[in-house]
Coordinates of all heavy atoms in Angstrom, one line a residue:
P138 N 109.6 120.2 155.4 CA 109.3 121.6 155.7 C 108.2 121.6 156.9 O 107.4 120.7 157.0 CB 108.6 122.1 154.4 CG 108.9 121.1 153.4 CD 109.1 119.8 154.0
M139 N 108.4 122.6 157.7 CA 107.4 122.7 158.8 C 106.0 122.7 158.4 O 105.0 122.3 159.1 CB 107.7 124.0 159.6 CG 109.0 124.0 160.4 SD 109.1 122.9 161.8 CE 108.0 123.7 163.0
S140 N 105.7 123.3 157.2 CA 104.4 123.4 156.7 C 103.8 122.1 156.3 O 102.6 122.0 156.1 CB 104.4 124.3 155.4 OG 105.3 123.8 154.5
D141 N 104.6 121.0 156.3 CA 104.1 119.7 156.0 C 103.8 118.9 157.2 O 103.4 117.7 157.1 CB 105.0 118.9 155.1 CG 105.0 119.4 153.6 OD1 104.0 120.2 153.3 OD2 105.9 119.0 152.8
L142 N 104.0 119.4 158.4 CA 103.9 118.7 159.6 C 102.4 118.1 159.8 O 102.3 117.1 160.5 CB 104.2 119.5 160.8 CG 105.7 119.7 161.1 CD1 105.9 120.6 162.3 CD2 106.4 118.3 161.3
G143 N 101.4 118.6 159.2 CA 100.1 118.2 159.4 C 99.8 117.0 158.5 O 98.6 116.4 158.6
S144 N 100.6 116.6 157.6 CA 100.3 115.5 156.6 C 100.0 114.2 157.3 O 100.7 113.8 158.2 CB 101.5 115.3 155.7 OG 101.3 114.1 155.0
E145 N 98.9 113.6 156.8 CA 98.5 112.3 157.4 C 99.5 111.2 157.2 O 99.6 110.2 157.9 CB 97.2 111.8 156.8 CG 96.0 112.6 157.4 CD 94.7 112.1 156.8 OE1 94.6 111.1 156.2 OE2 93.7 112.9 157.0
W146 N 100.3 111.3 156.1 CA 101.3 110.3 155.8 C 102.3 110.1 157.0 O 102.7 109.0 157.3 CB 102.1 110.7 154.6 CG 101.3 110.6 153.4 CD1 100.7 111.6 152.7 CD2 101.1 109.4 152.6 NE1 100.0 111.1 151.6 CE2 100.3 109.7 151.5 CE3 101.4 108.0 152.8 CZ2 99.8 108.8 150.5 CZ3 101.0 107.1 151.8 CH2 100.2 107.5 150.7
L147 N 102.5 111.2 157.7 CA 103.5 111.1 158.8 C 102.9 110.4 160.0 O 103.7 109.7 160.7 CB 103.8 112.6 159.3 CG 104.5 113.5 158.2 CD1 104.7 114.9 158.8 CD2 105.8 112.9 157.7
Q148 N 101.6 110.4 160.2 CA 101.0 109.7 161.3 C 101.2 108.2 161.1 O 101.1 107.4 162.1 CB 99.5 110.0 161.4 CG 99.3 111.6 161.7 CD 99.9 112.1 163.0 OE1 99.9 111.3 164.0 NE2 100.3 113.3 163.1
S149 N 101.4 107.7 159.9 CA 101.6 106.3 159.6 C 103.0 105.8 159.8 O 103.3 104.6 159.8 CB 101.2 105.9 158.2 OG 99.9 106.4 157.9
L150 N 103.9 106.8 160.0 CA 105.3 106.4 160.2 C 105.6 105.9 161.6 O 105.0 106.4 162.5 CB 106.2 107.6 159.8 CG 106.3 108.1 158.4 CD1 107.2 109.3 158.3 CD2 106.8 107.0 157.5
D151 N 106.5 104.9 161.7 CA 107.0 104.4 163.0 C 108.4 105.1 163.2 O 109.4 104.6 162.8 CB 107.1 102.9 162.9 CG 107.6 102.3 164.1 OD1 107.8 103.0 165.2 OD2 107.9 101.1 164.1
I152 N 108.3 106.3 163.9 CA 109.5 107.1 164.0 C 110.3 106.9 165.3 O 109.7 107.0 166.4 CB 109.1 108.6 163.9 CG1 108.4 108.9 162.6 CG2 110.4 109.5 164.1 CD1 107.8 110.2 162.5
D153 N 111.5 106.5 165.1 CA 112.4 106.5 166.3 C 112.9 107.9 166.6 O 112.4 108.5 167.5 CB 113.6 105.5 165.9 CG 114.6 105.4 167.1 OD1 114.4 106.0 168.1 OD2 115.7 104.8 166.9
V154 N 113.8 108.4 165.8 CA 114.5 109.7 166.1 C 113.8 110.8 165.3 O 113.9 110.8 164.0 CB 115.9 109.7 165.9 CG1 116.6 111.0 166.3 CG2 116.6 108.6 166.7
L155 N 113.2 111.8 166.0 CA 112.7 113.0 165.2 C 113.8 114.0 165.4 O 114.1 114.5 166.5 CB 111.4 113.5 165.9 CG 110.7 114.5 165.0 CD1 109.2 114.6 165.4 CD2 111.3 115.9 165.1
M156 N 114.5 114.3 164.3 CA 115.7 115.2 164.3 C 115.5 116.5 163.5 O 114.6 116.6 162.6 CB 116.9 114.5 163.9 CG 117.0 114.0 162.5 SD 118.5 113.1 162.2 CE 118.1 111.4 162.5
S157 N 116.3 117.5 163.8 CA 116.5 118.6 163.0 C 118.0 119.0 163.1 O 118.7 118.4 163.9 CB 115.6 119.7 163.4 OG 115.7 120.8 162.4
H158 N 118.4 119.9 162.2 CA 119.9 120.2 162.2 C 120.0 121.7 162.3 O 119.3 122.5 161.6 CB 120.4 119.7 160.9 CG 121.9 119.7 160.8 ND1 122.7 119.0 161.8 CD2 122.8 120.2 160.0 CE1 124.0 119.1 161.5 NE2 124.1 119.9 160.4
L159 N 121.0 122.1 163.1 CA 121.2 123.5 163.4 C 122.1 124.2 162.3 O 123.2 123.6 161.9 CB 121.9 123.7 164.7 CG 121.0 123.3 166.0 CD1 121.8 123.2 167.2 CD2 119.8 124.3 166.1
A160 N 121.8 125.3 161.8 CA 122.6 126.0 160.7 C 123.8 126.7 161.3 O 124.8 126.8 160.6 CB 121.7 127.0 160.0
S161 N 123.7 127.2 162.6 CA 124.8 128.1 163.0 C 125.1 127.8 164.5 O 125.3 128.7 165.3 CB 124.3 129.5 162.9 OG 123.8 129.8 161.7
A162 N 125.1 126.5 164.8 CA 125.4 126.1 166.2 C 126.8 126.6 166.7 O 127.1 126.7 167.9 CB 125.3 124.6 166.4
D163 N 127.7 126.9 165.7 CA 129.1 127.3 166.1 C 129.1 128.8 166.4 O 130.1 129.4 166.7 CB 130.1 127.0 165.0 CG 129.7 127.5 163.6 OD1 128.5 127.8 163.4 OD2 130.5 127.5 162.7
E164 N 127.9 129.5 166.2 CA 127.9 130.9 166.6 C 126.8 131.1 167.6 O 125.9 130.4 167.8 CB 127.4 131.7 165.3 CG 128.2 131.7 164.1 CD 127.5 132.5 163.0 OE1 127.4 133.7 163.1 OE2 127.0 131.8 162.1
D165 N 127.0 132.3 168.3 CA 125.9 132.7 169.2 C 124.9 133.6 168.5 O 125.2 134.8 168.3 CB 126.5 133.5 170.4 CG 127.3 132.5 171.3 OD1 126.9 131.4 171.5 OD2 128.4 132.9 171.7
T166 N 123.8 133.0 168.1 CA 122.8 133.7 167.3 C 121.4 133.3 167.7 O 121.3 132.2 168.2 CB 123.0 133.4 165.8 OG1 121.8 133.7 165.1 CG2 123.4 132.0 165.5
E167 N 120.5 134.2 167.7 CA 119.1 133.9 168.1 C 118.5 132.8 167.2 O 117.5 132.2 167.6 CB 118.3 135.2 168.1 CG 118.5 136.0 169.3 CD 117.7 137.3 169.2 OE1 116.7 137.3 168.5 OE2 118.0 138.3 169.9
F168 N 119.1 132.6 166.1 CA 118.5 131.6 165.1 C 118.6 130.2 165.8 O 117.7 129.4 165.4 CB 119.3 131.7 163.8 CG 118.5 131.0 162.7 CD1 117.2 131.3 162.4 CD2 119.1 129.9 162.0 CE1 116.5 130.6 161.4 CE2 118.4 129.2 161.0 CZ 117.1 129.6 160.7
N169 N 119.6 130.0 166.6 CA 119.6 128.7 167.3 C 118.3 128.5 168.1 O 117.8 127.4 168.1 CB 120.8 128.6 168.2 CG 122.1 128.5 167.5 OD1 122.2 127.9 166.4 ND2 123.2 129.1 168.0
D170 N 117.9 129.5 168.8 CA 116.6 129.3 169.6 C 115.4 129.3 168.7 O 114.5 128.5 169.0 CB 116.5 130.5 170.6 CG 117.3 130.4 171.8 OD1 117.4 129.2 172.3 OD2 118.0 131.4 172.2
T171 N 115.4 129.9 167.6 CA 114.3 129.9 166.6 C 114.2 128.4 166.2 O 113.1 127.8 166.2 CB 114.6 130.8 165.4 OG1 114.7 132.1 165.9 CG2 113.4 130.7 164.4
Q172 N 115.3 127.8 165.8 CA 115.3 126.5 165.3 C 114.9 125.5 166.4 O 114.1 124.5 166.2 CB 116.6 126.0 164.8 CG 117.0 126.7 163.4 CD 118.1 125.9 162.7 OE1 119.3 126.3 162.9 NE2 117.8 125.0 161.9
R173 N 115.3 125.8 167.6 CA 115.0 124.9 168.8 C 113.5 124.9 169.0 O 112.9 123.9 169.3 CB 115.7 125.4 170.0 CG 115.4 124.5 171.3 CD 116.2 124.9 172.5 NE 116.1 126.4 172.8 CZ 115.0 126.8 173.4 NH1 114.0 126.1 173.7 NH2 114.9 128.2 173.6
R174 N 112.9 126.1 168.9 CA 111.4 126.2 169.2 C 110.6 125.5 168.1 O 109.7 124.8 168.4 CB 111.0 127.7 169.2 CG 111.2 128.4 170.6 CD 110.5 129.7 170.7 NE 111.0 130.6 169.7 CZ 112.0 131.5 169.9 NH1 112.7 131.4 171.1 NH2 112.4 132.3 169.0
R175 N 111.1 125.6 166.8 CA 110.4 124.9 165.7 C 110.6 123.4 165.9 O 109.6 122.6 165.7 CB 111.0 125.3 164.4 CG 110.7 126.8 164.0 CD 111.4 127.2 162.8 NE 111.0 128.6 162.5 CZ 111.7 129.3 161.6 NH1 112.7 128.7 160.9 NH2 111.4 130.5 161.4

Side-chain angles (χ1 to χ4, degrees):
M139 293 292 288
S140 55
D141 284 349
L142 281 177
S144 166
E145 283 181 16
W146 291 97
L147 301 177
Q148 300 296 329
S149 311
L150 292 175
D151 177 6
I152 299 170
D153 177 5
V154 182
L155 193 159
M156 65 180 91
S157 189
H158 193 56
L159 295 166
S161 308
D163 56 344
E164 293 177 75
D165 290 317
T166 156
E167 282 180 22
F168 195 55
N169 290 327
D170 281 317
T171 302
Q172 286 195 274
R173 181 178 54 77
R174 280 195 296 273
R175 291 175 183 165

